[in-house]
């Protein structure tokens, strides 16, 4: 191998190559571009004016309220309450199939006795706030009639159907579980007849109070516990809720494993109101017809829905409720109004926190909804929002707003601040 | 349930208010108006401050200079810029890569040469984020405006050069100007107490646009040489119409004339393989005024330079060319003040240096240049702007 290949190069070429490499590295470094020169602003960034338009429109062309949400038996909690003449709710729990046999020591035996029958329900938040005992009564409410209707069920809460009664206090439920002993003779007859056990709970008439139980939908089922043997080594039988009616696909029977029935609620909203929440589960829809040149051709920076609240005077009027706005995802092809109320987007815009008994103007920011309408285009989608409170069907308190049938000053209005389409970027 | 439908009624008439939006902010002295004009210089010419522009066949300035091409040539240039702007004690640094000149040319016999080149006339690339407090609908809002622009106006030139006699070359060039500025603007409103959270009262305002430019020009030039002594070169570009269109080319937002340019240089060629030159150029940028929005004012500019390209030390068969130069010029676009009027003229002073050598048995030439530019304007606040340009030119003679 020629030795010159290993000879040390002269200094000048080495330096030249080094300089070239340095130059190349510096040049390549510029490939990582950084254009941001914010620190030079505002002196070298002269402001340009953009025209904002502030418009108040009565853009609501249709509004209505519907109740019955989230649906019979679909709430996460069961509200049992009573307050004089103004409020009375009942809780229905179905055990449509009770065991008829049990196994002890490997021996399968028929159930011929019931020593104890205990109904257990987990208390929901808020837990009992008062130390005053609540007397809870249990009734046999099984019937062959259409038993989701109040007029069918309520007459069944009578003394000859009373199957249990107990006092509920904070001390009696240290583990947040309410337990009630049921009439064992009655339960044994139900087992012997292979009949259904449907229990109706109410607070004793003339008392006042409220309590929440977790429902099946919350994931914590009411439980019926049966001790069917005098042998204490035999574990009690645990019975889960079951509903076998209604049959057919029209309504899911499983949803009726537990539900509430409103026996009395005097503070109902007037038909012209936009009501939200309550035990009846009201939601309100506002459908808009906004100028296309604003929604579709401009950028809406702010959209404020002004609503005028009027007070709810019923039970729980001091409660504070959160009001959410949802886009309805229903299209023009959806003709069932109730379905429009259930096809909802995630909550959009801001959240109002309102005391039910208050009154006055309330404002919701809906700019995000307007942007969503713009992105969805004009084809198909119904430009409507659904107002709801997350405690619908759980709390007696309602939020009430004036509808577009009210005097002009009280109607819903939309204030839009928008930037008309303009040419940006012209030097 | 109320099923009666009716059209939306305006309760109150639309009220128009103006709020400032830093949508067209630039953030430097250099990039105002339609952008920064790099100069259309090759690395060789740039390394002499621009003094050789009228006689350099690789710089698309004087079409007559194509006669100096000698043989078929392809040329490519990269020229990143590192900019530092100081305003009132605050410093911002930016870096940007550019490819300001690409060209190719060939000779036809001993008298004719032709070439096609692509070069940047004005580079409008910048980005800023500015916070401000605005009052919207009677309420204070904390806004962050992010604006950016990408793109440039470019010059595509086809040129012919002819040497009717040995000491004279004439040329003509046909220019097509085109380019785009992709502008994007976004305003978000944030929680004053937590700038990472959006203010739920307001929606994000975002808009974008593409400004497209199209125009033409024609240029002509001569270069007269006194053998072994020097040369005199003059070029003139007559700008034609240029228009700016918004969006997908569906609306013309401005029309103007491209700036005329007159350049003259005197070069001393008495040293073998070397050239020492002075150049002056006048460019009538004010003819562009119709292309911008109201308040857009470009100014005519002077551009002076002096520099030399000297044969330096020899490394074997290779001669290392040493270059040095200086340049003084006005920039055509001033900083616009709060009143919407252009401020004082921005002046740029540059010193430059570089080297060049042949590689691959003379089939390739590598040029390297460094340019240090300082820009000033007589503004109320203390503003200092400096840039380093690293210029790399690669010439291939297949």
């Amino acid at each position: 191998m020629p030795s010159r290949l290993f000879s040390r190069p002269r200094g000048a070429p080495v330096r030249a190559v080094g300089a070239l490499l340095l130059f190349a590295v510096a040049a390549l470094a510029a490939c990582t571009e950084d254009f941001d020169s914010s620190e030079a602003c505002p002196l070298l960034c002269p402001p340009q004016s953009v025209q904002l338009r502030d418009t108040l429109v009565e853009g609501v062309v249709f509004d209505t309220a519907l109740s019955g949400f989230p649906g019979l038996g679909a709430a996460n909690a069961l509200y049992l309450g009573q307050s004089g003449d103004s409020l009375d709710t009942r809780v229905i729990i179905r055990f449509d199939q009770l065991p008829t046999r049990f196994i002890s020591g490997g021996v399968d035996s028929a159930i011929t006795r019931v020593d104890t029958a205990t109904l257990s329900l987990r208390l929901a938040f808020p837990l009992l706030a008062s130390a005053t005992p609540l007397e809870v009564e249990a009734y046999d409410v099984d019937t062959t009639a259409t038993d989701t209707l109040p007029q069918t069920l309520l007459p069944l809460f009578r003394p000859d159907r009373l199957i249990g009664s107990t006092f509920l206090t904070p001390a009696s439920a240290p583990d947040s579980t309410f337990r009630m002993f049921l009439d064992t003779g009655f339960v044994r007859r139900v087992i012997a007849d292979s009949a259904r056990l449907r229990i109706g709970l109410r607070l004793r008439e003339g008392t006042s109070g409220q309590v929440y139980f977790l429902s099946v939908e919350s994931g914590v089922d009411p439980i019926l516990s049966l001790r069917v043997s005098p042998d204490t080594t035999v574990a009690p039988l645990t019975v889960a809720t079951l509903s076998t009616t209604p049959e057919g696909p029209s309504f899911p029977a499983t949803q009726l494993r537990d539900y509430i029935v409103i026996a009395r609620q005097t503070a109902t909203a007037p038909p012209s109101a936009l009501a939200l929440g309550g035990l009846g589960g009201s939601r309100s829809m506002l459908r808009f017809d906004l100028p296309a040149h604003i929604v579709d051709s401009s950028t809406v920076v702010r959209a404020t829905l002004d609503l005028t609240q009027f007070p709810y005077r019923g039970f729980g009027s001091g409660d504070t409720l959160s009001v959410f706005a949802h886009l309805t995802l229903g299209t023009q092809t959806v003709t069932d109004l109730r379905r429009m109320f259930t096809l909802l987007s995630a909550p959009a815009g801001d959240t109002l926190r309102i005391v039910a008994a208050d009154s006055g103007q309330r404002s919701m920011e809906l700019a995000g909804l307007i942007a969503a309408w713009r992105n969805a285009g004009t084809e198909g989608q119904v430009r409507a929002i659904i107002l709801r409170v997350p405690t619908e069907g759980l709390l007696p308190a309602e939020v009430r707003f004036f509808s577009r049938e009210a005097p002009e000053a009280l109607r819903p209005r939309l204030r839009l601040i928008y930037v008309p389409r303009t040419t940006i970027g012209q030097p | 349930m109320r099923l009666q439908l009716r059209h939306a009624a305006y309760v109150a008439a639309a009220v128009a208010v103006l709020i400032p939006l830093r949508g067209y902010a630039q953030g430097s002295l250099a990039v105002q108006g339609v952008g920064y004009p790099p100069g259309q210089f090759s690395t060789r010419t740039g390394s002499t401050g621009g003094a050789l522009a009228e006689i350099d066949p690789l710089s698309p300035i004087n079409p007559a200079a194509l006669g100096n091409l000698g043989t078929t040539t392809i040329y490519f240039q990269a020229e990143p810029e590192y900019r530092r702007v100081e305003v009132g004690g605050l410093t911002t640094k930016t870096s940007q890569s550019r490819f300001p000149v690409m060209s190719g040319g060939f000779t036809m016999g001993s008298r004719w040469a032709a070439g096609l080149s692509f070069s940047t006339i004005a580079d409008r690339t910048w980005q800023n984020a500015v916070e401000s407090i605005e009052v919207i609908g009677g309420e204070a809002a904390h806004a962050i405006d992010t604006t950016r622009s990408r793109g440039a106006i470019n010059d595509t030139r086809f040129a012919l050069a002819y040497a009717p006699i040995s000491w004279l070359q004439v040329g003509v060039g046909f220019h097509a100007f085109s380019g785009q500025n992709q502008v994007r603007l976004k305003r978000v409103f944030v929680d004053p107490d937590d700038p990472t959270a959006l203010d739920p009262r307001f929606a994000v305002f975002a808009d974008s646009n593409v400004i497209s430019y199209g125009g033409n020009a024609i240029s002509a030039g001569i270069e007269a040489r006194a053998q072994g002594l020097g040369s005199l070169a003059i070029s003139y570009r007559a700008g034609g119409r240029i228009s700016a269109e918004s969006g997908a080319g569906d609306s013309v937002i401005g029309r103007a004339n491209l700036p005329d340019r007159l350049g003259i240089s005197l070069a001393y060629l008495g040293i073998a393989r070397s050239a020492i030159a002075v150049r002056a150029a006048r460019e009538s940028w004010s003819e562009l005024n119709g292309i911008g929005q109201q308040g857009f004012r470009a100014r005519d500019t002077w551009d002076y330079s002096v520099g030399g390209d000297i044969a330096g030390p020899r490394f074997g068969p290779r001669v290392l060319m040493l270059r040095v130069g200086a340049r003084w010029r006005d920039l055509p676009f001033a900083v616009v003040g709060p009143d919407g009027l252009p401020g004082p003229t921005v002046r740029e002073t540059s010193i430059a240096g570089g080297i060049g050598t042949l590689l691959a048995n003379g089939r390739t030439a590598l040029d390297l240049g460094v340019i240090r530019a300082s820009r000033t304007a007589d503004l109320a606040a203390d503003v200092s702007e400096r840039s380093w340009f690293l210029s790399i030119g690669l010439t291939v003679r297949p």
Side-chain angles (χ1 to χ4, degrees):
Chain A
M1 190 173 290
S3 60
R4 66 174 180 274
L5 288 180
F6 297 95
S7 62
R8 186 182 178 83
R10 293 178 181 175
V14 170
R15 283 193 294 273
V17 169
L20 282 174
L21 285 175
L22 199 64
F23 200 92
V25 168
L28 286 173
C31 293
T32 307
E33 297 182 299
D34 178 8
F35 305 124
D36 191 286
S37 53
S38 305
E39 298 292 346
C41 297
L43 181 69
L44 302 183
C45 309
Q48 305 289 318
S49 292
V50 165
Q51 193 175 62
L52 282 183
R53 290 187 178 272
D54 190 343
T55 305
L56 195 60
V57 297
E58 193 180 292
V60 179
V61 292
F62 168 70
D63 57 12
T64 190
L66 279 185
S67 61
F69 299 99
L72 190 63
N76 289 330
L78 304 165
Y79 177 81
L80 181 63
Q82 188 163 265
S83 176
D85 294 335
S86 62
L87 182 70
D88 183 3
T89 66
R90 316 286 170 88
V91 171
I92 310 297
I93 305 167
R94 291 180 173 181
F95 299 94
D96 281 1
Q97 190 172 36
L98 298 184
T100 57
R101 306 185 71 79
F102 73 102
I103 297 175
S104 174
V107 180
D108 186 0
S109 309
I111 296 175
T112 57
R113 59 184 292 166
V114 176
D115 291 337
T116 58
T118 310
L119 175 67
S120 302
L121 296 102
R122 182 69 62 86
L123 297 179
F125 184 86
L127 302 178
L128 288 171
S130 168
T132 305
L134 300 176
E135 186 173 1
V136 182
E137 297 176 335
Y139 291 85
D140 166 27
V141 292
D142 186 30
T143 177
T144 55
T146 306
D147 60 357
T148 56
L149 300 177
Q151 57 266 38
T152 303
L153 281 169
L154 296 179
L156 303 179
F157 286 81
R158 59 180 191 259
D160 63 305
R161 283 178 168 255
L162 183 68
I163 58 174
S165 175
T166 191
F167 284 94
L168 172 61
T169 65
S172 69
D175 56 352
S176 300
T177 301
F178 164 72
R179 294 181 180 85
M180 168 182 270
F181 294 108
L182 303 179
D183 181 344
T184 54
F186 168 74
V187 175
R188 189 173 62 247
R189 285 196 301 276
V190 171
I191 292 172
D193 297 343
S194 295
R196 304 181 303 199
L197 175 60
R198 295 186 171 182
I199 303 169
L201 301 179
R202 65 169 295 184
L203 296 183
R204 183 178 174 81
E205 191 165 9
T207 64
S208 181
Q210 58 180 350
V211 62
Y212 297 89
F213 302 114
L214 291 179
S215 70
V216 171
E217 279 64 32
S218 74
V220 182
D221 287 27
I223 295 294
L224 178 66
S225 181
L226 301 175
R227 186 167 287 283
V228 296
S229 169
D231 184 354
T232 55
T233 62
V234 177
L237 300 179
T238 300
V239 184
T241 55
L242 177 71
S243 176
T244 56
T245 58
E247 296 175 347
S250 61
F251 192 89
T254 56
Q255 205 161 296
L256 295 182
R257 287 178 288 177
D258 55 8
Y259 59 95
I260 70 167
V261 175
I262 302 172
R264 184 169 56 247
Q265 186 177 22
T266 55
T268 54
S272 61
L274 298 176
L276 311 176
L279 291 172
S282 294
R283 297 177 180 178
S284 292
M285 169 191 274
L286 292 92
R287 185 170 177 174
F288 296 89
D289 180 13
L290 302 175
H293 74 272
I294 296 178
V295 177
D296 302 321
S297 303
S298 304
T299 300
V300 175
V301 175
R302 189 174 188 184
T304 308
L305 176 64
D306 291 333
L307 298 162
T308 306
Q309 183 190 2
F310 65 94
Y312 162 80
R313 303 289 189 198
F315 191 80
S317 60
D319 290 348
T320 299
L321 305 178
S322 299
V323 178
F324 292 112
H326 301 256
L327 282 175
T328 179
L329 302 178
T331 63
Q332 307 278 7
T333 59
V334 178
T335 55
D336 181 356
L337 191 61
R338 179 167 289 276
R339 187 158 168 73
M340 293 290 283
F341 275 77
T342 58
L343 297 170
L344 303 183
S345 72
D350 67 350
T351 305
L352 285 182
R353 297 274 295 163
I354 295 178
V355 176
D358 283 354
S359 60
Q361 184 167 309
R362 310 283 176 244
S363 297
M364 293 191 81
E365 301 297 342
L366 303 178
L369 302 184
I370 304 286
W373 286 338
R374 178 181 179 176
N375 293 335
T378 56
E379 296 296 323
Q381 193 189 26
V382 175
R383 291 181 168 176
I385 63 169
I386 305 295
L387 300 178
R388 61 179 285 268
V389 297
T391 55
E392 60 190 6
L394 298 177
L395 289 179
E398 289 183 351
V399 173
R400 295 168 179 176
F401 297 113
F402 286 105
S403 71
R404 58 185 296 274
E405 290 184 350
E408 188 172 328
L410 303 174
R411 293 174 190 164
R413 290 176 179 174
L414 195 61
R415 183 180 184 184
L416 298 172
I417 298 178
Y418 63 97
V419 182
R421 172 172 271 182
T422 184
T423 299
I424 69 164
Q426 189 174 10
Chain B
M1 190 182 299
R2 295 158 293 284
L3 292 170
Q4 182 187 3
L5 294 178
R6 67 174 184 174
H7 293 296
Y10 284 88
V11 175
V15 178
V17 294
L18 296 175
I19 62 165
L21 194 68
R22 288 161 179 86
Y24 318 122
Q26 293 84 15
S28 71
L29 291 173
V31 190
Q32 302 285 334
V34 299
Y36 176 71
Q40 298 179 274
F41 295 158
S42 69
T43 298
R44 178 188 175 221
T45 295
S47 302
T48 64
L52 302 186
E54 302 293 338
I55 58 174
D56 177 18
L58 301 178
S59 300
I61 300 292
N62 184 355
L66 267 181
N68 303 326
L69 207 55
T71 184
T72 301
T73 299
I74 298 170
Y75 176 72
F76 176 80
Q77 179 182 349
E79 194 170 277
E81 177 187 4
Y82 302 88
R83 185 186 304 143
R84 177 190 177 98
V85 184
E86 292 184 26
V87 179
L90 294 174
T91 302
T92 184
K93 296 178 181 177
T94 61
S95 60
Q96 180 182 350
S97 44
R98 288 198 187 98
F99 305 95
V101 178
M102 284 188 288
S103 64
F106 58 93
T107 56
M108 298 174 287
S110 60
R111 294 177 181 272
W112 287 91
L116 184 67
S117 64
F118 308 91
S119 58
T120 300
I121 289 285
D123 181 2
R124 193 173 178 222
T125 300
W126 46 262
Q127 179 170 315
N128 291 311
V130 181
E131 295 185 34
S132 62
I133 304 293
E134 312 292 352
V135 177
I136 299 176
E139 296 182 34
H142 190 164
I144 299 178
D145 297 333
T146 304
T147 54
R148 74 174 208 188
S149 170
R150 302 278 188 277
I153 302 176
N154 300 306
D155 173 12
T156 302
R157 187 194 75 169
F158 173 73
L160 283 171
Y162 175 63
I165 48 180
S166 61
W167 54 271
L168 181 67
Q169 294 171 180
V170 297
V172 61
F174 304 93
H175 302 255
F177 289 81
S178 62
Q180 288 185 338
N181 296 153
Q182 297 173 356
V183 183
R184 190 172 169 192
L185 182 158
K186 184 177 182 182
R187 165 170 279 191
V188 296
F189 296 92
V190 297
D191 186 333
D193 299 324
D194 180 10
T196 61
L198 292 178
D199 187 333
R201 294 175 299 167
F202 300 99
V204 172
F205 169 63
D207 204 352
S208 61
N209 196 10
V210 177
I211 308 291
S212 302
Y213 301 93
N216 55 70
I218 189 168
S219 62
I222 63 167
E223 182 186 357
R225 290 191 178 224
Q227 192 64 34
L229 182 59
S231 78
L232 172 68
I234 301 173
S235 69
Y236 182 75
R237 185 187 68 204
R241 296 291 284 173
I242 184 172
S243 63
E245 296 179 347
S246 172
D250 54 354
S251 62
V252 175
I253 57 173
R255 282 198 177 90
N257 286 323
L258 281 157
D260 295 346
R261 184 186 61 215
L262 175 64
I264 181 169
S265 77
L266 201 57
Y268 173 66
L269 305 175
I271 304 172
R273 299 171 182 256
S274 303
I276 299 170
V278 294
R279 175 179 182 256
R282 174 76 169 170
E283 200 156 0
S284 57
W285 287 94
S286 61
E287 293 184 55
L288 266 181
N289 281 345
I291 210 167
Q293 57 185 325
Q294 197 171 13
F296 177 90
R297 291 285 182 276
R299 295 190 172 115
D300 298 340
T301 60
W302 280 103
D303 185 352
Y304 305 100
S305 53
V306 58
D309 181 14
I310 311 295
R314 180 181 291 272
F315 296 94
R318 300 187 190 93
V319 175
L320 186 66
M321 302 302 296
L322 302 177
R323 294 160 188 151
V324 66
R327 183 186 191 191
W328 303 265
R329 66 166 173 164
D330 300 332
L331 295 182
F333 307 106
V335 177
V336 177
D339 54 2
L341 298 174
T345 298
V346 178
R347 293 191 163 82
E348 182 183 81
T349 302
S350 307
I351 56 172
I355 58 174
T357 190
L358 295 176
L359 305 171
N361 293 324
R363 291 193 173 278
T364 301
L366 177 65
D367 299 309
L368 304 176
V370 178
I371 302 165
R372 175 66 160 167
S374 302
R375 303 178 192 105
T376 59
D378 190 16
L379 296 170
D382 183 22
V383 180
S384 165
E385 183 171 315
R386 292 180 175 82
S387 289
W388 285 103
F389 294 87
L390 301 182
S391 189
I392 307 169
L394 191 65
T395 308
V396 178
R397 297 182 176 120

